[in-house]
Amino acid sequence: MIHGTVNTAYEAVVGLTVQGPTGRSREIEAVIDTGYNGFLTLPSDLVRELGLAYRDRSRAILADGSEAFFDVYDVAVLWDDSLRNTRASAADSTPLVGMRLLDDHDLNIRVQRGGRVVIQATPQ
């Protein structure tokens, strides 16, 4: 189970540990974005710091309807107490958790400042 809180800007935020191929890791705070259908976004400087391996380039349609391209990297995320290999798009913004990373999980958000955020594996 992953816990977080709703911040003063009414964003659901969770703390995650991301790890590169050499084992170097970093704690981050990521905003849950249910409008983002990817896995995870990370700032370019963090991608470089962790030495993430380039995977490919992807195209996305942003909320304003514009088109953008992002470099995609392999990354490991501490997720539900185990390392999970996933993908991260380099985006110079606050890290985002997308819907693909939340696949097969329930998301519960108590929408109020300081509200509880819980991500839990869906029972099979």
Side-chain angles (χ1 to χ4, degrees):
M1 198 174 317
I2 298 166
H3 296 275
T5 58
V6 175
N7 65 19
T8 58
Y10 280 87
E11 298 168 322
V13 178
V14 293
L16 298 174
T17 300
V18 291
Q19 181 177 305
T22 64
R24 185 176 188 154
S25 65
R26 178 108 172 267
E27 301 280 329
I28 63 165
E29 284 196 344
V31 173
I32 296 170
D33 185 350
T34 60
Y36 169 48
N37 66 357
F39 293 93
L40 182 68
T41 69
L42 294 173
S44 298
D45 60 338
L46 182 55
V47 168
R48 285 188 299 278
E49 178 185 326
L50 296 176
L52 300 183
Y54 177 80
R55 182 180 190 83
D56 59 21
R57 192 158 172 82
S58 68
R59 180 180 78 86
I61 304 299
L62 304 180
D64 66 1
S66 64
E67 180 180 60
F69 292 89
F70 298 93
D71 290 334
V72 179
Y73 297 84
D74 292 321
V75 67
V77 178
L78 187 59
W79 189 262
D80 264 344
D81 295 324
S82 24
L83 275 179
R84 176 177 173 185
N85 293 316
T86 190
R87 298 176 195 153
S89 296
D92 291 319
S93 65
T94 300
L96 300 176
V97 170
M99 292 299 286
R100 286 192 184 166
L101 193 55
L102 293 168
D103 191 33
D104 285 328
H105 286 73
D106 292 326
L107 171 63
N108 184 278
I109 303 171
R110 173 71 172 151
V111 182
Q112 66 182 40
R113 287 183 184 159
R116 187 174 176 198
V117 177
V118 178
I119 301 169
Q120 184 173 7
T122 304
Q124 299 300 328

